[in-house]
Amino acid sequence: MFYQLIWLFFCYSFLGWVLETVSATARRRHFVNRGLLDGPLCMIYGFAGVMLTVFLPELRGNWPFLFLGSAIWCTVFEWIAGHVLERSGYGRWWDYSRMPANLDGYISLPSSLLWGVLGSAAVQWGSPLLLKLFAMLPGTAGRILLWLLIVLTVIDGIGSLIALYGYSGIMPPLERVDSQITVTTRKLQEVISRTTRRRLERTFGMTRVRQEKREKTGVFAQGACFYKIFWLFFIGSFLGDVTETIFCYVTVGKLMSRSSVVWGPFSLVWGIALAAATAMLYRYRDRSDRFLFFAGTFLGGAYEYLCSVATELVFGTVFWDYSAIPFNLGGRINLLYCFFWGIAAVVWIKGLYPVFSRWIEKIPMKAGVCLTWILVVFMTANMAVSALALARYDQRCQGIAAESSWQEYMDEHYGDDVIRRVYPNAIRV
């Protein structure tokens, strides 16, 4: 599976580079390398192609939803990639400001529709065809080819980082030692980065835009920074578990665990959703309620669908099933709950986020930083143990006996009774 995904990544990256380069060359009437690296790869297409192949194969033949899912997920990915590239110093790699229905020039309606068409074609025909071609390669030769491409891409990436940030930006300064190794290393760095630096400056006019350092204000977790986002993830996970528990008690008449992890009442789906929504919609907090509602509806539906597919692929278990609710898609999402995500986005950004933000920022600086990292370690260990417990539960269901120490530990401390209590709605597939 690993080699198949890597193969798809390079194939779609190359096809995307061809599409982008031909389009840019036709517009500017001279050759333009549209790849982020020197090699003929446009990696956003590679990541998008792999993502759609993994998460949307069951929509093959269901053209409306396949088109909608491809358009939404690729648009979200493009929006995130555009922000990351600009903030990392690469500048604006594309700008849709002149297109209709655009959002800050990062995404636009025409590009989203194009993503829907390309994504649908990739899932329906492209990926099966490419995988058949990969299967025709001799096993050893195919793996050697992929590892060679990986090594070349890593070297290309290092050259781009050196050209963009300079030597001191990606590695600690070297001692001034007049050794042949030091001299050779410097020459190699210059050789790797020279071509990339010239291309960035000549073709795109991209000298690095250094981010201004934020002034220290003494306020903990100011703005939508890492500390703020993590605390919202932690709080959202807890409140999401409490909300779902109460909802189940009211609708079903009994208390049941809605936790995603084995230690404590935390629903990661809610926590991740709250953190992601804040990170993505924070800058649009002054936009209209209608904008936030539709953004939340589409993003929430796509996110819930991804979580459903991911948990089923990783753990072989379905954690929720909406098949009995009208207007559902494969039992993974339904229209009513998508609208709920939209309403939740408006309520959160307009009403609740400012309150929680003020509370978090009142935490003393030193105590907040220390406590944050303690909770980061705790939640990381919590998720790791939970993943191992579910993986071992899946093995037990398949009749696989415990052979290693971790399997024996999981059988002793997280047996079937514990798993059924923590995950009462988990359905084996």
Side-chain angles (χ1 to χ4, degrees):
M1 186 66 176
F2 169 78
Y3 290 106
Q4 291 177 326
L5 295 180
I6 296 298
W7 167 260
L8 291 177
F9 168 78
F10 280 112
C11 287
Y12 282 122
S13 295
F14 174 72
L15 293 174
W17 176 84
V18 172
L19 178 64
E20 289 278 342
T21 300
V22 169
S23 175
T25 301
R27 290 196 308 270
R28 303 188 185 185
R29 297 185 179 181
H30 63 83
F31 178 77
V32 178
N33 180 4
R34 283 292 294 168
L36 189 62
L37 306 178
D38 283 323
L41 299 175
C42 194
M43 291 188 293
I44 186 173
Y45 287 85
F47 286 117
V50 171
M51 177 181 65
L52 297 183
T53 301
V54 172
F55 291 107
L56 299 183
E58 61 188 36
L59 296 182
R60 288 193 183 112
N62 191 343
W63 290 105
F65 286 107
L66 179 58
F67 173 84
L68 187 61
S70 300
I72 292 175
W73 265 113
C74 288
T75 299
V76 172
F77 185 73
E78 185 178 37
W79 186 88
I80 295 174
H83 280 83
V84 170
L85 286 173
E86 183 170 5
R87 297 192 68 173
S88 64
Y90 275 92
R92 284 251 179 165
W93 211 253
W94 59 86
D95 190 354
Y96 299 140
S97 299
R98 296 182 180 181
M99 291 188 177
N102 74 85
L103 184 59
D104 295 338
Y106 292 106
I107 58 176
S108 68
L109 181 59
S111 63
S112 297
L113 296 178
L114 178 60
W115 276 119
V117 173
L118 294 177
S120 299
V123 174
Q124 187 70 31
W125 302 299
S127 294
L129 176 60
L130 291 173
L131 292 177
K132 288 181 181 178
L133 293 176
F134 181 69
M136 296 171 61
L137 295 175
T140 303
R143 289 191 289 271
I144 292 176
L145 173 63
L146 291 180
W147 278 112
L148 179 61
L149 291 174
I150 291 173
V151 171
L152 292 175
T153 303
V154 170
I155 294 175
D156 198 357
I158 293 175
S160 295
L161 291 176
I162 293 174
L164 187 65
Y165 291 96
Y167 304 139
S168 60
I170 62 173
M171 61 184 67
L174 298 175
E175 297 282 344
R176 293 195 63 180
V177 179
D178 295 329
S179 65
Q180 186 61 39
I181 296 178
T182 303
V183 174
T184 304
T185 301
R186 292 296 190 189
K187 289 182 178 180
L188 179 60
Q189 291 173 343
E190 182 62 29
V191 169
I192 292 176
S193 66
R194 185 184 300 117
T195 305
T196 302
R197 186 188 303 113
R198 288 176 178 175
R199 180 173 67 85
L200 289 173
E201 294 176 354
R202 181 180 65 253
T203 307
F204 298 98
M206 290 182 181
T207 55
R208 183 178 179 229
V209 180
R210 297 186 178 271
Q211 300 293 327
E212 296 182 0
K213 295 182 178 180
R214 295 183 179 180
E215 296 181 1
K216 295 183 179 180
T217 60
V219 177
F220 173 69
Q222 187 176 24
C225 64
F226 165 77
Y227 292 105
K228 177 73 66 60
I229 296 300
F230 175 80
W231 274 92
L232 293 176
F233 159 75
F234 186 81
I235 295 171
S237 297
F238 173 75
L239 294 181
D241 183 273
V242 173
T243 301
E244 285 203 27
T245 301
I246 296 174
F247 179 79
C248 289
Y249 181 76
V250 172
T251 57
V252 181
K254 63 177 181 180
L255 291 173
M256 66 175 68
S257 171
R258 301 300 297 167
S259 178
S260 305
V261 289
V262 293
W263 299 341
F266 301 104
S267 179
L268 300 183
V269 172
W270 285 76
I272 295 173
L274 200 65
T278 303
M280 297 179 67
L281 299 178
Y282 174 77
R283 64 182 299 169
Y284 305 112
R285 60 192 181 279
D286 296 327
R287 298 288 291 265
S288 66
D289 293 352
R290 181 187 302 177
F291 171 85
L292 294 174
F293 172 78
F294 283 111
T297 298
F298 287 110
L299 293 176
Y303 167 72
E304 190 171 18
Y305 190 95
L306 181 147
C307 289
S308 177
V309 175
T311 52
E312 183 176 331
L313 288 174
V314 175
F315 303 114
T317 303
V318 176
F319 288 91
W320 61 84
D321 186 359
Y322 302 140
S323 299
I325 301 178
F327 304 107
N328 74 85
L329 181 59
R332 302 188 186 280
I333 59 175
N334 66 82
L335 188 60
L336 176 62
Y337 286 7
C338 287
F339 287 156
F340 171 78
W341 285 110
I343 296 172
V346 177
V347 173
W348 171 250
I349 296 297
K350 293 291 188 178
L352 296 179
Y353 169 76
V355 177
F356 281 90
S357 178
R358 287 194 296 269
W359 289 348
I360 294 172
E361 290 178 0
K362 289 181 180 180
I363 300 174
M365 176 68 75
K366 292 184 178 180
V369 172
C370 181
L371 183 57
T372 298
W373 287 107
I374 291 174
L375 292 177
V376 167
V377 173
F378 167 73
M379 291 302 292
T380 301
N382 198 359
M383 289 185 283
V385 172
S386 301
L388 290 174
L390 285 169
R392 180 56 192 149
Y393 172 69
D394 181 60
Q395 291 178 349
R396 287 196 299 269
C397 292
Q398 299 179 42
I400 300 176
E403 297 179 352
S404 60
S405 57
W406 78 269
Q407 293 172 319
E408 295 174 354
Y409 182 88
M410 291 298 155
D411 289 347
E412 180 182 355
H413 294 85
Y414 303 100
D416 292 349
D417 292 339
V418 175
I419 296 298
R420 294 192 186 102
R421 175 174 54 80
V422 177
Y423 308 106
N425 290 336
I427 304 172
R428 285 274 303 153
V429 294

